[in-house]
Amino acid sequence: QGFWAGDETYDVEIRFHRDVAQLVREREPQERLTEMPDGGLLLRRTVRNEDEIYYELLRYGHWAEVVRPQALRDKLKAEAEKIVKMYA
């Protein structure tokens, strides 16, 4: 099962800014990616645990936006608010 094992799977959609699109292309299989008109990418992926993608997304900062699921959006928003508060 591995480190990221979980009882459920989650379908996630992440929109990546064009400035990190090439990096994402190098890390994700092409069949998971949709090219966006603005040069960005939409990633569709199934994960076994939300933490599997959560920690990956933190490294992208504002260049990645969770489209779904809402729970993952909310979790990243809460983390961003903590970061803003820490640096305020």
Side-chain angles (χ1 to χ4, degrees):
Q1 286 188 341
F3 184 74
W4 296 118
D7 294 333
E8 298 182 45
T9 59
Y10 300 88
D11 293 327
V12 297
E13 289 185 17
I14 316 295
R15 190 176 9 247
F16 289 94
H17 189 273
R18 68 177 174 263
D19 289 351
V20 296
Q22 185 57 38
L23 178 62
V24 175
R25 281 187 203 94
E26 292 170 6
R27 295 180 177 204
E28 294 289 341
Q30 187 61 38
E31 61 270 10
R32 293 181 181 169
L33 301 172
T34 301
E35 299 282 337
M36 304 301 289
D38 63 359
L41 293 171
L42 181 65
L43 168 67
R44 291 183 179 95
R45 182 169 153 188
T46 300
V47 297
R48 293 172 287 167
N49 180 307
E50 282 187 355
D51 287 343
E52 178 181 350
I53 192 85
Y54 171 78
Y55 291 107
E56 288 182 43
L57 290 171
L58 287 175
R59 86 173 99 183
Y60 288 102
H62 72 280
W63 290 289
E65 177 188 0
V66 175
V67 177
R68 69 183 183 103
Q70 186 64 44
L72 183 57
R73 280 182 69 94
D74 294 344
K75 187 174 181 176
L76 283 162
K77 179 182 177 185
E79 185 66 20
E81 289 168 351
K82 290 177 194 173
I83 292 168
V84 167
K85 186 176 180 180
M86 182 173 70
Y87 285 101

